[in-house]
Amino acid sequence: MDYPGNLFVVAAPSGTGKSTLVKALLELDSRLQVSVSHTTRPPRGQEKDGREYWFISEPDFRAKVEHGDFFEWAEVHGNLYGTSRQAIEERIKGGEDVVLEIDWQGALQIKKIFPNAILIFILPPSYEELLQRLNRRGEDTQDVIDLRMTNARTEVNQARHFDFIVVNALFESALFDLKTIVHAQRLKYAAQRRNKSGVFQALNLL
Ligand code: 5GP
């Protein structure tokens, strides 16, 4: 599958700052689109159906799995999450760049189906810093924080399978790194031939 659009997949242990980074990236780059996943987890706080996630029941989720509706799906922290196949394929076929903010299991599934996907892993600067961030966030109980820290060690070990690594020590610098990865993909030969067809024709480049 060689589609004109890029598929960026961003994964990170919880507390690394992935959501904040992706949100800032999307605000800076109007050519990037985010895909809304389906989940069986109940909405948190101000979350709205169709905005953060499509919130569905487990039987409905399983029916979608059976039906082949998901590009990938995984169980994360006891809930099911899946990326809708249709939404992504249509967009990248149409030349749009899509960002998926999913867990590492989903990212590796995507790479198998779609080898051109660009896998980005965001690392915390250290486990000590990650623990401090989870504590500062004040969202989780001690048990949940302990579980997230245990999971983080497994997750960090998956970073070796990703194409790019961004260390989120300083937010601005991590955001710059993310922007650079996106920009570099758009400078690849095939992308430039599509986007700068006039120049290519003038230079008799195929
Ligand atoms: P949360 O419940 O905190 O929003 O997300 C929990 C984890 O599930 C995060 O790592 C998030 O990136 C991941 N996640 C969200 N959507 C998907 C999805 O469609 N597929 C997979 N595999 N993981 C997802």
Side-chain angles (χ1 to χ4, degrees):
M1 286 191 284
D2 187 18
Y3 296 143
N6 290 306
L7 183 57
F8 298 97
V9 185
V10 186
S14 107
T16 310
K18 172 178 67 165
S19 302
T20 317
L21 277 169
V22 170
K23 195 164 165 263
L25 179 70
L26 289 165
E27 276 166 12
L28 287 171
D29 188 335
S30 57
R31 287 165 63 194
L32 279 177
Q33 304 218 356
V34 75
S35 157
V36 178
S37 295
H38 287 71
T39 184
T40 60
R41 114 160 139 60
R44 276 196 302 245
Q46 301 298 309
E47 286 180 339
K48 229 175 109 196
D49 195 40
R51 193 178 58 193
E52 284 79 12
Y53 286 104
W54 295 104
F55 296 98
I56 61 173
S57 68
E58 186 163 340
D60 286 352
F61 192 99
R62 300 263 177 214
K64 282 183 166 294
V65 171
E66 286 297 305
H67 203 244
D69 289 351
F70 292 132
F71 217 178
E72 64 73 35
W73 68 276
E75 183 174 335
V76 189
H77 309 311
N79 294 299
L80 304 177
Y81 295 83
T83 307
S84 155
R85 179 183 299 279
Q86 196 193 2
I88 292 184
E89 276 188 345
E90 275 171 13
R91 287 169 171 185
I92 54 178
K93 271 184 197 165
E96 289 168 30
D97 288 347
V98 176
V99 182
L100 299 183
E101 198 196 317
I102 62 179
D103 89 308
W104 66 268
Q105 306 171 80
L108 298 187
Q109 286 181 55
I110 296 263
K111 191 76 175 178
K112 277 196 198 134
I113 312 165
F114 187 65
N116 290 343
I118 301 117
L119 265 51
I120 307 167
F121 200 94
I122 303 177
L123 286 173
S126 66
Y127 286 119
E128 290 73 21
E129 174 64 26
L130 184 64
L131 179 60
Q132 279 178 21
R133 288 184 191 173
L134 286 172
N135 280 324
R136 267 203 304 270
R137 212 158 71 164
E139 272 179 7
D140 306 305
T141 60
Q142 191 56 50
D143 284 355
V144 172
I145 291 180
D146 291 347
L147 178 67
R148 288 183 194 264
M149 286 304 295
T150 309
N151 289 346
R153 288 173 198 273
T154 316
E155 290 162 19
V156 161
N157 258 312
Q158 305 300 323
R160 72 190 77 225
H161 304 300
F162 283 61
D163 301 308
F164 292 99
I165 299 297
V166 171
V167 177
N168 188 14
L170 274 177
F171 178 82
E172 287 306 329
S173 149
L175 182 58
F176 176 79
D177 289 348
L178 272 182
K179 281 192 293 186
T180 306
I181 295 166
V182 171
H183 189 59
Q185 290 306 314
R186 293 176 177 157
L187 297 180
K188 285 195 166 164
Y189 191 93
Q192 289 285 62
R193 192 175 52 193
R194 271 191 301 273
N195 298 331
K196 300 272 194 304
S197 56
V199 175
F200 274 60
Q201 271 165 23
L203 299 173
N204 288 324
L205 263 177
L206 290 177

